[in-house]
Amino acid sequence: MTTPTPATPLIPLPLTIARALTTAGAALTALSTFLAWTWTKAFPGNLTVTGYPGGLQLLTLTGALLTLIQLLATWNTPGLRWLSPTRSHTPTTYLAAGTLATTWYTLIAISVQLGGLANLEPGGYLAAAAALLTLAGALALPFERRPTHAARTPLPPPRPLPAWAEILIIAAAFALALSVLTYGIGTAYGELFTGFLLLTGFATAALFAAGLITRLSALTHKHRNITVTAAFIAAAAFPLTQDTDEYTLIVVNILIFSTVALGLNVVVGLAGLLDLGYVAFLGVGAYTAALVSGSTASTLHIHFPFWAAVLTGAAASLVFGVVIGAPTLRLRGDYLAIVTLGFGEIFRITVGNLNGESGPSLTNGPNGIPNIPDLAIGNYNFGEKQKLGFITLNPFANYYLLMLLVTVLVVLVFSRAGNSRIGRAWIAIREDETAATAMGINGFRLKLLAFALGATLAGLAGTVQAHVAYTVVPEQYVFAGPVPPNSAFLLAAVILGGMGTITGPLLGAALLYLIPAKLQFLQDYQLLTFGIALILLMRFRPEGIIPNRRQQLEFHEPTTTATPPAPKAEAQTS
């Protein structure tokens, strides 16, 4: 049987004093956000105003209030008990740590950017001390060390709710997620986005520790159709929250990156084939669409309709997947990785040489294919503003909705394939190909099928990417570069998010694209940053951010305790 580690405080103090310190610290932290933290407006967000918070102060205020609310929930406060199904103080500790991280990051950024601690006002010093006091009090609360999911005790059964109330909870959860996502993508400067990431990360850990994610997962599993509908409506409503195309374009590229990562997840996560040149299939789809979509720079001088261009790009990637996979998939491990890496580089060099001088005139060489026209379905032109009743969609909002449909299609294909007989055979090959072959599985044929399916999904996304970017050039399809998607980032998205899952690569791709897009100073240190992230993840969570249940159990052996044998009953003598 599994036994969870008992809850013990990290700082030995009486529980009453710990609660008082946490409450006082959180209240003072919230109060400090209504004071000026600096005297100059040179730091973004205008933290010079007394009377109301602004900029990063809003994040500190949010963290302090969430800490107070969670602490009250652990006291069985009426109306707040549902916020802490586990009745644990661990979420309070996480929220206090997130509040401290956000606050101290803001104050350090002010000191570094403006040239010293002299630029802090008394409100800033009060915020630093109060946030530290909050964390000290939270560390004196009982903290449950739960190293593995398997060691967690089940939650107490929830109070029965009517079906309409459960549906409202699901809708509210997706509405809250949309609001948080919209705020994070719309942050106006890098400091605010960094503070948002810090607080969101600790708040997410608090939600898991409180048991709210587990309760919500049970509701979504119970109302699966309602959940899918609510998720799609929330995703489709994102363009309606944007006034311009600036942030919508970022999300369109995130969807493209996520779709390609999910296609790679078929190859790596299900079949266990390490493909280091996967971005080449994205390039095949993009170049094919650029050649047949009526670009003035196309050497083919043909113009296919939208549906034909998409099918042509996906079919071309399928053919390349079969042609490349047939002679190489008899290799395994590092040898297969080296060959696929070589294929990716060969593709980039080849399209760079098809300029009429070094080779046939097809791709215009390093200049690529510019002036790719906007997609059009009948009279609906994606490059123009469109009105649907009272709703006006900007050009990139049109592409966003198109990519959302493509992403839904890819998710359906992945889920159906993963749960099918072929998907189970892929998993068997991933775990032990020799054993799978001994059980009668044709390993080569199924690996080729996985390779072809992954290539087709990448080519499908590439056809849309070509029209979104309006141009394709060889430098877009490298193994590692400053701008995703590339093979290294795609593989990192799958590993960071969680191999073999659907939401894992989607989340990993979103983070890997969004962070460099919002934090411009990381442009020169992306590989270093993601290398450090991979090392930390392999050390503390090797199964990924959103793990596959099977892999989570493989990476973490449950803590077991031997149960002493029951004493034998003594024989009764008459």
Side-chain angles (χ1 to χ4, degrees), residues 350-410:
T350 300
V351 296
N353 288 332
L354 298 179
N355 55 1
E357 297 178 0
S358 302
S361 178
L362 183 62
T363 64
N364 297 325
N367 296 325
I369 304 176
N371 303 322
I372 301 173
D374 289 302
L375 286 174
I377 301 178
N379 296 326
Y380 194 98
N381 192 312
F382 284 75
E384 300 175 356
K385 286 187 177 182
Q386 301 290 341
K387 285 190 176 182
L388 301 177
F390 298 100
I391 301 174
T392 301
L393 297 177
N394 292 322
F396 285 117
N398 298 322
Y399 282 109
Y400 169 83
L401 295 177
L402 175 63
M403 270 311 304
L404 182 62
L405 294 176
V406 172
T407 304
V408 170
L409 174 62
V410 174

Side-chain angles (χ1 to χ4, degrees), residues 7 18 32 34 47 65 67 72 79-80 90 102 218 255 262 264 337 420 441 446 450 458 478 523 530 546 561:
S32 70
F34 292 88
L47 307 184
L65 293 179
T67 304
L72 292 175
L80 296 177
T90 304
T102 305
L255 287 178
L262 200 57
L264 179 61
S420 66
I441 295 176
L446 289 174
V478 296
Q523 290 290 340
F530 295 134
I546 302 178
T561 56

Side-chain angles (χ1 to χ4, degrees), residues 24 42 46-47 60 69 161 165 175 181 214 260 290 317 323 357 370 374 397-398 402 413 435 487 495 527:
N46 193 10
L47 307 184
T60 296
I69 293 173
L161 294 174
L181 175 65
T214 303
V260 180
S317 296
V323 170
E357 297 178 0
D374 289 302
N398 298 322
L402 175 63
V413 171
S487 293
I495 296 175
L527 292 179

Side-chain angles (χ1 to χ4, degrees), residues 11-344:
I11 298 178
L13 284 177
L15 181 59
T16 305
I17 296 178
R19 287 177 171 176
L21 288 177
T22 307
T23 303
L28 287 175
T29 303
L31 179 63
S32 70
T33 61
F34 292 88
L35 303 175
W37 285 11
T38 183
W39 57 270
T40 174
K41 296 181 180 180
F43 188 81
N46 193 10
L47 307 184
T48 65
V49 180
T50 299
Y52 62 89
L56 282 157
Q57 289 176 325
L58 288 172
L59 296 178
T60 296
L61 176 62
T62 302
L65 293 179
L66 290 177
T67 304
L68 277 175
I69 293 173
Q70 184 60 44
L71 184 62
L72 292 175
T74 59
W75 292 355
N76 292 329
T77 305
L80 296 177
R81 297 174 183 173
W82 62 274
L83 289 175
S84 183
T86 59
R87 298 294 186 266
S88 170
H89 290 90
T90 304
T92 305
T93 305
Y94 283 140
L95 290 171
T99 305
L100 177 74
T102 305
T103 304
W104 279 49
Y105 164 76
T106 304
L107 301 177
I108 293 173
I110 292 174
S111 303
V112 171
Q113 291 189 20
L114 303 183
L117 295 175
N119 293 280
L120 297 178
E121 288 289 297
Y125 290 105
L126 176 61
L132 185 60
L133 178 64
T134 306
L135 182 59
L139 291 176
L141 297 171
F143 186 84
E144 297 183 16
R145 300 175 179 86
R146 295 182 175 185
T148 68
H149 180 78
R152 298 186 179 185
T153 55
L155 294 178
R159 186 179 66 180
L161 294 174
W164 63 266
E166 294 177 343
I167 294 173
L168 282 180
I169 292 175
I170 294 174
F174 279 105
L176 178 61
L178 175 62
S179 301
V180 172
L181 175 65
T182 302
Y183 179 84
I185 293 177
T187 49
Y189 44 94
E191 293 84 356
L192 184 60
F193 181 72
T194 303
F196 167 79
L197 284 182
L198 290 173
L199 184 60
T200 303
F202 282 100
T204 303
L207 290 176
F208 276 101
L212 288 176
I213 299 296
T214 303
R215 286 281 170 84
L216 182 61
S217 299
L219 290 180
T220 56
H221 182 75
K222 180 179 179 181
H223 303 280
R224 188 180 298 272
N225 294 332
I226 298 295
T227 301
V228 172
T229 304
F232 183 80
I233 292 175
F238 173 79
L240 305 181
T241 65
Q242 306 297 310
D243 296 329
T244 64
D245 274 343
E246 179 182 1
Y247 300 121
T248 307
L249 176 59
I250 292 178
V251 182
V252 171
N253 287 317
I254 288 176
L255 287 178
I256 294 174
F257 193 11
S258 302
T259 303
V260 180
L262 200 57
L264 179 61
N265 198 26
V266 175
V267 180
V268 177
L270 293 182
L273 306 173
L274 185 55
D275 188 351
L276 298 183
Y278 186 75
V279 75
F281 298 121
L282 176 70
V284 170
Y287 264 96
T288 303
L291 288 171
V292 301
S293 294
S295 170
T296 56
S298 173
T299 56
L300 299 183
H301 304 293
I302 55 178
H303 189 183
F304 284 0
F306 162 73
W307 63 269
V310 170
L311 292 179
T312 303
S317 296
L318 170 63
V319 171
F320 270 82
V322 173
V323 170
I324 299 301
T328 60
L329 288 179
R330 300 188 185 276
L331 302 174
R332 297 186 186 182
D334 299 338
Y335 301 101
L336 177 62
I338 293 173
V339 171
T340 54
L341 175 62
F343 163 66

